[in-house]
Amino acid sequence: MNNIEIIRQLETEQTADRASLVQLLDTLTQDEEELLRQRAQQTAQARFGSKIYIRGLIEISSYCKNDCFYCGIRRSNRNAVRYRLSAEQIVSSCDRGYALGFRTFVLQGGEDPYYTDERMCAVVREIKRRYPDCAVTLSLGERSAESLQRLWEAGADRYLLRHETAGKAHYERLHPPEMSYDNRVATLRLLKRIGYQTGAGFMVGSPYQTAENLADDLLFIKDLRPQMCGIGPFVPHSDTCFRDVPHGSLRTTLILLSVLRLMNPNILLPATTALGTIDARGREKGILHGANVVMPNLSPQEHRRDYSLYDNKICTGEEAAECLQCLKMRMRSIGYEITTDRGDYHE
Ligand code: 5AD
Ligand code: FES
């Protein structure tokens, strides 16, 4: 099959085999890429119109017990500045967010044992008590089945846990031996079974990654059928062993966004901060390639700089209101409007 035929197949059958996906990633020409982009943008517009969903991101802790080789807040990074938000700080970030129009709050952090089930459930319950019309999304890494169940019962609606890479051997080159690919995948399946709207996702251009790995990521998403998929370029952090690895390619990330959109027409697909970090208009380009979500930062300003997963992260100097304004303007500049709709997944 030639690339045009593969694009048509992605449109009509919402899938393609591994070899075709690898071929697409390796050999797409500029013209073919533009066709793919248009199809992906049309697919998104047919479902979401020119509406872009917003999620208020609250980075609750820079402590992490994990040691992922690529990440700036890995536990062995002595230079990382550690902070954690109190329950009051988290809830007041939601208060500010609600007033600005946010109806989804994403509580994200390193794997920080301080946030026991008891503490975390209390926070979730308080947010849901104050704002029953809002969705609470958690992004707290791998937790036990019991813990995830308790958080669900406390009222959490969604959970983000990127699989990072669908190649087990690749996963093992990016993580220390105590981390397990199988547990990652099992946790994702469990999240879905419990009832969470679940987000998986992967980095583009992470060290040692091949086109075959990326094809496997696409097929993994197709098989798992998560409601959300977060992808962004790998960006090196100067305190990690991957400091000299170049960041992931803008073009490859955009192509993957488009392919993901065609393979999963209803999926919620953010134009991520990492994409905005490697290109001044990266998030706009992401939307034009089929993404339909942006995640402005709602974290208290004094800690922004310290949630440093990779170098040169954008939005570390801005207030929540400024980020929202900035994104409103950016979306408007490409003919899209931010909506305050909760933005749940629909088949
Ligand atoms: N570059 C890009 N993304 C990163 N993440 C962690 N470190 C980096 C990095 N150096 C992503 C991971 C994680 C998410 C919270 O941030 O995919 O799941
Ligand atoms: Fe944060 Fe633009 S989105 S400053």
Side-chain angles (χ1 to χ4, degrees):
M1 267 201 289
N2 66 37
N3 290 342
I4 303 280
E5 289 165 343
I6 298 171
I7 295 170
R8 297 244 182 279
Q9 191 192 348
L10 286 172
E11 265 191 283
T12 53
E13 295 171 34
Q14 281 111 53
T15 195
D17 61 25
R18 187 174 190 254
S20 301
L21 294 170
V22 171
Q23 177 186 320
L24 213 59
L25 291 167
D26 280 343
T27 68
L28 206 63
T29 65
Q30 287 300 327
D31 287 351
E32 291 162 352
E33 185 193 339
E34 177 57 17
L35 174 73
L36 171 69
R37 186 198 71 73
Q38 285 174 13
R39 295 297 191 242
Q41 186 185 17
Q42 282 165 10
T43 302
Q45 279 184 337
R47 270 116 192 134
F48 311 105
S50 53
K51 291 205 176 86
I52 301 297
Y53 297 124
I54 47 170
R55 319 310 194 183
L57 181 63
I58 306 169
E59 297 154 333
I60 69 169
S61 176
S62 69
Y63 286 86
C64 191
K65 67 174 161 66
N66 277 343
D67 214 20
C68 308
F69 300 150
Y70 45 83
C71 181
I73 64 166
R74 60 195 298 241
R75 69 157 185 267
S76 62
N77 181 12
R78 301 278 167 85
N79 297 327
V81 180
R82 308 293 176 173
Y83 73 89
R84 61 171 67 93
L85 303 186
S86 65
E88 293 70 30
Q89 285 175 305
I90 297 172
V91 172
S92 68
S93 298
C94 295
D95 293 340
R96 274 183 297 123
Y98 192 89
L100 289 168
F102 288 96
R103 295 298 177 265
T104 293
F105 303 115
V106 182
L107 313 189
Q108 183 178 91
E111 291 194 15
D112 180 356
Y114 172 85
Y115 291 104
T116 57
D117 293 347
E118 220 174 304
R119 288 198 171 106
M120 212 56 233
C121 286
V123 172
V124 171
R125 263 189 240 103
E126 177 58 18
I127 298 171
K128 294 296 282 193
R129 187 188 69 77
R130 287 192 193 193
Y131 305 114
D133 55 331
C134 290
V136 171
T137 305
L138 301 178
S139 179
L140 304 171
E142 292 169 41
R143 296 175 75 104
S144 69
E146 189 199 350
S147 170
L148 295 172
Q149 183 67 41
R150 288 177 72 181
L151 290 163
W152 169 256
E153 281 159 17
D157 303 276
R158 309 179 186 149
Y159 205 103
L160 307 179
L161 181 71
R162 290 186 176 182
H163 63 284
E164 311 297 358
T165 172
K168 185 170 166 145
H170 185 218
Y171 187 93
E172 287 168 358
R173 299 185 77 176
L174 299 178
H175 300 93
E178 66 271 18
M179 288 182 71
S180 145
Y181 174 78
D182 293 335
N183 192 58
R184 195 84 175 173
V185 174
T187 305
L188 276 164
R189 298 202 185 279
L190 171 66
L191 286 165
K192 286 201 70 186
R193 237 181 297 125
I194 292 174
Y196 285 100
Q197 292 176 52
T198 301
F202 53 98
M203 287 181 289
V204 181
S206 59
Y208 318 115
Q209 188 177 60
T210 62
E212 284 77 11
N213 290 141
L214 289 170
D216 288 341
D217 285 320
L218 294 168
L219 294 170
F220 175 81
I221 295 295
K222 186 72 195 170
D223 176 65
L224 178 70
R225 300 177 57 78
Q227 284 81 14
M228 296 147 316
C229 182
I231 74 166
F234 161 77
V235 183
H237 189 290
S238 48
D239 291 326
T240 66
C241 51
F242 296 141
R243 67 181 67 84
D244 295 323
V245 177
H247 67 69
S249 135
L250 172 70
R251 179 169 188 258
T252 307
T253 308
L254 296 174
I255 291 171
L256 286 161
L257 281 170
S258 293
V259 175
L260 278 166
R261 172 59 64 208
L262 292 181
M263 289 176 73
N264 314 273
N266 301 313
I267 204 167
L268 294 156
L269 205 52
T272 55
T273 305
L275 190 55
T277 295
I278 63 159
D279 185 282
R281 290 180 69 79
R283 288 167 297 179
E284 293 89 320
K285 290 172 188 171
I287 300 298
L288 295 170
H289 283 76
N292 70 324
V293 175
V294 291
M295 300 173 70
N297 199 318
L298 259 185
S299 307
Q301 229 206 318
E302 65 265 33
H303 296 299
R304 290 267 177 109
R305 222 163 258 109
D306 300 329
Y307 195 76
S308 172
L309 309 182
Y310 47 81
D311 291 339
N312 307 314
K313 189 175 163 219
I314 53 171
C315 302
T316 55
E318 280 76 9
E319 267 295 331
E322 293 175 280
C323 271
L324 180 60
Q325 257 325 106
C326 169
L327 275 167
K328 278 187 181 162
M329 229 179 51
R330 286 171 181 271
M331 295 301 111
R332 220 167 275 156
S333 78
I334 52 168
Y336 285 79
E337 266 324 303
I338 277 177
T339 167
T340 56
D341 192 287
R342 241 176 76 133
D344 289 295
Y345 179 86
H346 296 292
E347 273 304 337

